[in-house]
């Protein structure tokens, strides 16, 4: 009887071992070596039984602020193409600004391995109307000085990463003309929309968009769902389905949504303040192997345990990640 039980369990372990790997792309002012990001990556790997890798760009914290986003995306594109572990496909977990780098890899990375699932935590997908706060210290003094310059000038666009997705709704002409990253990524420029970007983005199997209910870093917080202000005004905040990007389907978001492949998730907490319970509920299922289409015993047990703890008020609400900025 014991031997039979072992034989029956073998497919479960085989399924776990065949899960696709995932990469984590951290946000601005952070780096893979920091405790929060390292712990976040390891927990997801442990819970999903998949291999996880945090991919660094240059000097981490410094370059996340001052290296143009297209250059950051080019570095990640090269890394994923060189990683044999990703050759059969992989999933992306993006943290804030890291989501834009991840989307650039999906849309622009020629001959890169296929991205299956994209899980976004607090991503400024439709832009942000305010540059993330830096803090104090000599580094932040330099950053603040750059912010005070013309945000769409060539110099600032070349030396301040978030200038690439700063979108002032009352200054759309300068944004479309001089902002060097987001207008291209979102196919916003009339006459220059690229069908390949749309085709690649809409090929995702799942797009999970996680918005934090108390997010005070992203302005507005609904940008995490591709919601944003209408052109020319700071009010009201349009839901994603009412934006031109969605209605005219510039990047394939509408196609994905109508196919049931977009998950709009709202969780408690400030920017990136996700709890272990929400990680298990909203991220881990998309990192586990789903290729056979079966519901494995481990998934059933995990879901039942989570529901029981939630009913008893015992879920793990302590945040794993803490907001540094974006």
């Amino acid at each position: 009887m014991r031997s039979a039980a072992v034989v029956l369990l073998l497919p479960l372990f085989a399924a776990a071992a065949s899960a696709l790997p995932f990469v984590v792309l951290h946000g601005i002012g952070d780096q893979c070596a920091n405790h929060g990001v390292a712990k976040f990556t390891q927990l997801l790997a442990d819970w999903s039984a998949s291999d996880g890798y945090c991919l660094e760009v240059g000097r981490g914290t410094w370059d996340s602020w001052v290296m143009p986003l297209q250059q950051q995306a080019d570095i990640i594109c090269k890394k994923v193409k060189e990683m044999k572990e990703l050759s059969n496909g992989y999933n992306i977990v993006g943290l804030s600004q890291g989501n834009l780098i991840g989307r650039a890899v999906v849309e622009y990375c020629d001959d890169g391995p296929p991205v299956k699932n994209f899980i976004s935590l607090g991503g400024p997908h439709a832009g942000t109307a305010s540059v993330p706060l830096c803090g104090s210290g000599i580094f932040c003094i330099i950053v603040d000085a750059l912010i005070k310059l013309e945000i769409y000038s060539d110099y600032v666009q070349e030396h301040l990463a978030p200038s690439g997705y700063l979108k002032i709704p009352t200054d759309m002409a300068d944004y479309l003309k001089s902002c060097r990253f987001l207008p291209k990524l979102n196919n916003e420029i009339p006459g220059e929309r690229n069908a390949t970007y749309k085709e690649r983005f809409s090929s995702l199997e799942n797009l999970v968009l996680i918005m934090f209910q108390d997010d005070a870093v992203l302005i507005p917080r609904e940008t995490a769902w591709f919601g944003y202000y209408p052109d020319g005004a700071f009010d009201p905040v349009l839901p994603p389905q009412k934006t031109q990007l969605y209605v005219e389907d510039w990047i394939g978001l509408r196609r994905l949504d109508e196919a049931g492949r977009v998950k709009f998730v709202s969780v408690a907490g400030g920017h990136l303040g996700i709890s272990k319970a929400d990680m298990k509920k909203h991220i881990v299922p998309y990192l586990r192997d789903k290729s056979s289409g079966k519901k494995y015993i481990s998934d059933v047990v995990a879901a039942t345990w989570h529901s029981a703890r939630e009913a008893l008020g015992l879920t793990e609400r302590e945040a794993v990640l803490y907001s540094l900025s974006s």
Side-chain angles (χ1 to χ4, degrees):
M1 182 68 71
R2 183 177 297 175
S3 298
V6 171
V7 171
L8 287 172
L9 286 172
L10 284 176
L12 302 182
F13 292 110
S18 64
L20 288 175
F22 67 90
V23 302
V24 172
L25 302 174
H26 66 72
I28 198 170
D30 215 340
Q31 57 186 356
C32 290
N34 283 349
H35 175 72
V37 176
K39 180 180 179 182
F40 175 81
T41 306
Q42 187 59 56
L43 286 175
L44 289 180
D46 291 344
W47 293 334
S48 65
S50 57
D51 295 326
Y53 308 90
C54 182
L55 302 188
E56 192 59 271
V57 174
R59 296 165 291 178
T61 300
W62 176 268
D63 283 336
S64 73
W65 271 103
V66 302
M67 183 184 290
L69 286 179
Q70 186 57 61
Q71 188 177 342
Q72 295 189 42
D74 290 342
I75 290 173
I76 297 300
C77 174
K78 182 178 179 182
K79 285 190 174 185
V80 298
K81 288 197 288 188
E82 291 174 345
M83 292 178 65
K84 294 180 180 179
E85 301 90 340
L86 310 183
S87 59
N88 292 323
Y90 66 106
N91 300 313
I92 289 178
V93 180
L95 304 177
S96 198
Q97 178 177 280
N99 285 291
L100 301 185
I101 297 170
R103 283 182 50 213
V105 169
V106 172
E107 294 182 29
Y108 309 155
C109 190
D110 295 331
D111 302 316
V115 178
K116 302 296 185 178
N117 296 318
F118 195 119
I119 301 97
S120 163
L121 285 76
H125 292 292
T128 183
S130 175
V131 175
L133 297 176
C134 180
S136 58
I138 184 62
F139 171 74
C140 290
I141 291 175
I142 296 172
V143 169
D144 290 340
L146 286 174
I147 293 172
K148 291 176 181 178
L149 296 174
E150 173 54 52
I151 199 70
Y152 296 131
S153 69
D154 289 342
Y155 185 82
V156 174
Q157 289 289 309
E158 291 170 1
H159 293 88
L160 186 65
S163 69
Y165 54 93
L166 187 72
K167 183 176 181 180
I168 307 300
T170 54
D171 194 11
M172 289 300 296
D174 284 343
Y175 165 76
L176 291 173
K177 178 182 178 181
S178 302
C179 187
R180 296 188 179 181
F181 188 75
L182 193 64
K184 176 185 175 183
L185 185 71
N186 281 352
N187 257 344
E188 293 180 270
I189 306 173
E192 297 183 23
R193 294 185 180 124
N194 191 309
T196 299
Y197 301 162
K198 176 178 178 178
E199 191 63 31
R200 290 176 176 175
F201 187 65
S202 61
S203 71
L204 292 170
E205 292 181 5
N206 290 287
L207 174 64
V208 183
L209 300 173
I210 300 176
M211 176 180 70
F212 294 91
Q213 295 167 7
D214 299 318
D215 198 328
V217 172
L218 299 184
I219 308 297
R221 60 177 172 270
E222 290 84 359
T223 185
W225 283 1
F226 283 91
Y228 210 67
Y229 304 110
D231 291 356
F234 281 91
D235 186 70
V237 176
L238 300 175
Q241 294 82 1
K242 298 295 184 181
T243 64
Q244 284 185 287
L245 178 144
Y246 185 98
V247 173
E248 298 181 11
D249 208 17
W250 295 340
I251 60 170
L253 179 64
R254 179 176 178 176
R255 183 188 300 179
L256 281 170
D257 191 24
E258 291 179 345
R261 287 182 280 154
V262 181
K263 281 69 182 176
F264 296 99
V265 178
S266 177
V267 299
H271 189 63
L272 298 186
I274 194 162
S275 67
K276 290 180 180 179
D278 284 332
M279 288 170 63
K280 291 177 181 178
K281 183 176 181 180
H282 300 299
I283 304 177
V284 172
Y286 298 97
L287 302 182
R288 287 193 175 122
D289 177 48
K290 299 290 183 181
S291 59
S292 69
K294 296 180 180 179
K295 191 71 173 176
Y296 291 101
I297 292 175
S298 59
D299 291 331
V300 175
V301 172
T304 303
W305 176 242
H306 174 79
S307 297
R309 286 175 59 84
E310 193 172 55
L312 294 171
L314 299 175
T315 49
E316 299 158 295
R317 300 309 312 176
E318 180 183 357
V320 176
L321 289 164
Y322 292 92
S323 172
L324 295 177
S325 49
S326 141

